[in-house]
Amino acid sequence: MIEFVVRVGRLRGGGEEGGLRKRQLLLMGAFLYKNHHRHDLTSFLRFLIQDKTEVGEELPFVVHGSFPGLPHQDVYSNISQIHHVDISREDLPNCPIISPYISGPLKIMIPENLTMEQVVEKNPLVELGGQYQPPNCWTRHHTAVVVPYYGQAKHLQHLLFHLHPFLQRQQLHYAIYVVNQVNNTVFNRGKLRNVGFWEAMQEEDWDCVFFHDVNLLPEDNRNLYICDIFPAHVSVAIDKFNYKLPYRGYLGGVFALRPVHYLRINGFPNTYWGWDREDDDIAARLKLSGMFLSRPHLLFGRYHMLEEGLDPSHKQSPERWQHDGANSLGYRLLSKELQPLYTNLTVDISVSAPGAPVPS
């Protein structure tokens, strides 16, 4: 256990947030050790110490996930090792705490002229509606991925191509929900996130929801798509921003919440029209509801950003968070289609709930 403490200290760095993460990791290690999961403890330690950085060390600017000293793989490498076994579903063992298919850093390799049919062919274990369960074990983790969408067809295709094998390697039960906005001229990410949450929770009792921008591809599958005891901002190192936060309060990209977290912060604001301007509002919701924010290590929370388009947005006061969010959500579900790789939710979000605030 002494070696475990030393290595985790090196990996996680300092500060209040770093101290919190160390304590969480120590608790995990102690649990494995106490319950005689020696093999899992060894895997856990190896998982943590790969390619660590010292406190205060700056990460180099590297394009598309090139990591010095650590091999990086195609996300589809050896994915065929995941297959059905000749055992009834009821007799399957539990999945290990650390998936054996997690390899670390990934190459972002999108084939030219990729078609959706090719993506379907490369993911034969994904069921209608974008649902997946590990075929050879029972998983502890059940994650819905909600993708706000505004006509970025090529981005969605690339995300599905990359994200499905990424999640399968982590041995999750998951589903991908694409929330497609119509009848509006300006994108509203917060409202689409709210719609996706409620529609997903009506379908399954998910214990974790990842709100995922369509133009971000994860570069390291040690970035686990499971929920922590705190809300989590996951996309902390994006290549566009030289693999570091553009500013301390940045909360854009990929955000994870347990259902209880979502309800406690009253979801996301409905009255921001445009991109990436609701960060201050979300930060205020976390602070005013008395919750801490969790973030992965910079080496794990790495993402490649596809080209994006930006729209101006309305500004509003964060003090309205208790009245602008899940409790003021109005929308009309126009259709729900179970596509081979995702559930497509087409919604009209121009509908306002009675008494809902309007943009100022």
Side-chain angles (χ1 to χ4, degrees), residues 32-221:
L32 295 175
Y33 186 84
K34 180 179 179 181
N35 291 277
H36 306 290
H37 296 290
R38 303 299 171 83
H39 176 73
D40 288 328
L41 177 59
T42 302
S43 300
F44 184 60
L45 293 174
R46 288 175 179 167
F47 172 82
L48 288 174
I49 64 177
Q50 292 184 76
D51 202 31
K52 55 186 177 292
T53 57
E54 300 297 334
V55 177
E57 182 180 355
E58 278 280 287
L59 293 175
F61 174 71
V62 190
V63 178
H64 288 202
S66 176
F67 291 72
L70 190 62
H72 45 281
Q73 296 184 352
D74 180 353
V75 70
Y76 282 95
S77 293
N78 303 321
I79 198 72
S80 61
Q81 293 179 3
I82 305 174
H83 54 77
H84 289 285
V85 292
D86 192 18
I87 303 176
S88 67
R89 186 84 190 152
E90 294 75 18
D91 295 329
L92 289 176
N94 290 329
C95 297
I97 293 177
I98 304 298
S99 170
Y101 307 112
I102 292 177
S103 58
L106 301 168
K107 297 177 183 177
I108 304 296
M109 301 177 63
I110 306 297
E112 291 187 26
N113 304 315
L114 180 68
T115 66
M116 200 65 84
E117 290 74 20
Q118 290 172 322
V119 183
V120 172
E121 185 177 343
K122 290 187 73 70
N123 292 276
L125 298 179
V126 175
E127 299 176 359
L128 198 64
Q131 287 254 8
Y132 173 86
Q133 296 198 50
N136 52 4
C137 61
W138 285 103
T139 183
R140 302 168 174 82
H141 305 295
H142 310 274
T143 298
V145 180
V146 172
V147 182
Y149 181 75
Y150 195 51
Q152 311 99 316
K154 188 63 67 176
H155 289 178
L156 178 59
Q157 190 178 92
H158 291 177
L159 176 68
L160 295 170
F161 176 83
H162 186 80
L163 193 58
H164 273 296
F166 175 88
L167 296 174
Q168 290 168 42
R169 286 183 174 277
Q170 297 186 9
Q171 293 186 311
L172 309 179
H173 168 216
Y174 72 85
I176 297 177
Y177 298 87
V178 176
V179 191
N180 183 19
Q181 174 181 336
V182 299
N183 297 341
N184 286 90
T185 57
V186 183
F187 183 66
N188 189 322
R189 180 171 62 173
K191 199 165 188 179
L192 293 178
R193 284 174 163 182
N194 288 331
V195 172
F197 174 85
W198 288 111
E199 292 295 328
M201 294 305 297
Q202 289 182 52
E203 188 170 275
E204 293 270 354
D205 188 20
W206 301 106
D207 57 35
C208 181
V209 182
F210 266 66
F211 301 91
H212 206 297
D213 281 5
V214 71
N215 64 335
L216 288 180
L217 307 183
E219 293 185 0
D220 195 306
N221 58 20

Side-chain angles (χ1 to χ4, degrees), residues 268-287:
F268 297 93
N270 295 314
T271 49
Y272 286 89
W273 300 88
W275 292 76
D276 290 334
R277 298 296 182 90
E278 68 266 41
D279 289 10
D280 291 342
D281 189 299
I282 297 170
R285 289 167 188 256
L286 294 172
K287 181 177 180 180

Side-chain angles (χ1 to χ4, degrees), residues 246-285:
Y247 54 91
R248 185 174 180 179
Y250 178 73
L251 296 177
V254 183
F255 205 86
L257 295 170
R258 291 187 181 276
V260 66
H261 298 155
Y262 176 89
L263 296 174
R264 190 166 173 180
I265 67 170
N266 192 26
F268 297 93
N270 295 314
T271 49
Y272 286 89
W273 300 88
W275 292 76
D276 290 334
R277 298 296 182 90
E278 68 266 41
D279 289 10
D280 291 342
D281 189 299
I282 297 170
R285 289 167 188 256

